[in-house]
Amino acid sequence: MRGAVVHVPGDVRFETVEDPKILHPTDAVIRTAVTCVCGSDLWPYRGAEPIGDPHPMGHEYVGFVEEAGSEVTSLRPGRFVVGSFATSDNTCANCKNGFLSNCLHREFMSTCQTEYVRIPNAQGTLVATDEVPGEEFWPGLPAVSDVMGTGWWAADAAEPSRPSSSPDPPTAQGAIMQITRSSIDTVKGPADWFTGDVYIDAVAAASAPSRVTASLVHFMPGARTHWHRHPLGQTVFVTEGVGLCQRRGGPVEVIRPGDRVLFEADEEHWHGAAPNRLMVHLAVNEGDDDHAVVHWLNPVTDEEYHAAPATG
């Protein structure tokens, strides 16, 4: 079969690799429908983690069951399945207590950007869909294999609804969850403005400091930030409600669910919720060398904010 093989930093080749086989009765082999590159795949690609011998890569995947071991009773060939980057048997003590990512028989998937993949602990790891999704939905499904579960678990474990320490001035009615590499000192801003309630370490490399950060901000209607800038640009995914943003010297832009907004490095801008709409804002950013996530500048004035267009 063919697969993506990383040889040295910056050198990934699509070449012939060994076909997977059932090694244990709890295994399954799937034919991948879609796989994708994860942020953590970039660490060895950039040379931030050792590669060792050339090997297939990837851990986000969906596909069709080709073959199942004798102890895999819940899956049959032909079923469309979503997997996970960490396998779990769903039967050990950790799994029964809700800690599936720490299954006592866990194996990490790391060879999924190939045509076929062996899945250990298939009974607990693979989830079959009721029917085969339309192919137009396939490219979005690998997110369910990794980032959706990772993000949900982190947010749920941190219980962001419990904290109540955030300041609530009229122009900052939002609860912020700042997801960063290390600690709260990565957030550089006035203490009397946004104070994060929940901090989650995310996207860290095993052997090098992470430079990728993300922040999830819930804006109540009418809430907005300072003018600010992110060191190396950002992508904004608005997952709920309607938001606004404005670049220095530019018009106010309406951001609707699913929009992506790209900023140039250090470009000054502000964003927040429309006056009458809730907004959830997710920003992904590569921090600079001292992990400064946000460089805060001047507050947004009422005049600037109220100049925003009507959003319906």
Side-chain angles (χ1 to χ4, degrees):
M1 67 175 180
R2 305 283 283 175
V5 177
V6 58
H7 286 256
V8 295
D11 182 4
V12 176
R13 309 173 195 174
F14 193 62
E15 55 192 33
T16 300
V17 296
E18 185 177 354
D19 292 338
K21 298 176 182 178
I22 299 289
L23 300 180
H24 307 287
T26 50
D27 291 347
V29 171
I30 68 167
R31 172 172 55 88
T32 55
V34 176
T35 69
C36 68
V37 175
C38 177
S40 55
D41 292 328
L42 300 179
W43 297 123
Y45 180 80
R46 292 174 174 173
E49 283 189 342
I51 292 174
D53 295 332
H55 59 81
M57 61 191 303
H59 56 267
E60 297 180 342
Y61 59 98
V62 298
F64 297 87
V65 176
E66 285 284 306
E67 184 182 1
S70 60
E71 294 183 18
V72 182
T73 59
S74 62
L75 301 170
R76 64 179 185 272
R79 293 298 300 272
F80 189 93
V81 290
V82 178
S84 173
F85 67 95
T87 72
S88 54
D89 60 15
N90 268 7
T91 63
C92 76
N94 285 355
C95 287
K96 288 181 177 179
N97 283 296
F99 297 95
L100 281 77
S101 60
N102 285 309
C103 174
L104 295 176
H105 303 107
R106 175 184 65 189
E107 294 185 40
F108 285 110
M109 301 303 300
S110 59
T111 63
C112 297
Q113 290 171 22
T114 52
E115 293 180 280
Y116 296 88
V117 186
R118 181 182 72 91
I119 312 295
N121 300 314
Q123 181 97 351
T125 301
L126 297 176
V127 177
T129 59
D130 291 336
E131 55 188 24
V132 177
E135 290 191 31
E136 67 273 20
F137 298 110
W138 292 4
L141 291 176
V144 185
S145 182
D146 183 353
V147 293
M148 190 193 79
T150 301
W152 180 89
W153 174 260
D156 184 69
E159 298 181 312
S161 61
R162 285 194 179 186
S164 57
S165 60
S166 287
D168 192 23
T171 56
Q173 304 171 48
I176 290 188
M177 182 162 60
Q178 183 78 41
I179 308 170
T180 66
R181 159 63 177 84
S182 50
S183 67
I184 60 174
D185 4 24
T186 63
V187 180
K188 297 187 175 180
D192 59 351
W193 192 255
F194 277 137
T195 300
D197 286 326
V198 179
Y199 292 83
I200 300 172
D201 191 4
V203 200
S207 59
S210 171
R211 302 179 68 224
V212 178
T213 61
S215 60
L216 179 66
V217 186
H218 299 266
F219 288 101
M220 300 301 289
R224 72 273 196 187
T225 72
H226 285 68
W227 284 97
H228 61 274
R229 53 195 169 92
H230 293 257
L232 298 178
Q234 70 172 180
T235 303
V236 179
F237 299 84
V238 180
T239 57
E240 182 179 352
V242 175
L244 303 168
C245 77
Q246 184 178 24
R247 307 158 196 266
R248 227 14 131 165
V252 174
E253 304 172 42
V254 176
I255 311 174
R256 300 192 181 278
D259 285 354
R260 301 183 181 190
V261 182
L262 301 177
F263 295 98
E264 299 296 330
D266 280 334
E267 180 178 358
E268 297 179 14
H269 61 278
W270 63 263
H271 38 75
N276 58 341
R277 301 290 290 274
L278 174 73
M279 183 188 79
V280 178
H281 160 276
L282 174 64
V284 180
N285 180 72
E286 283 204 44
D288 56 13
D289 290 338
D290 65 358
H291 304 300
V293 177
V294 176
H295 297 293
W296 296 96
L297 300 174
N298 300 319
V300 175
T301 67
D302 287 339
E303 291 74 17
E304 288 170 321
Y305 183 74
H306 290 301
T311 59

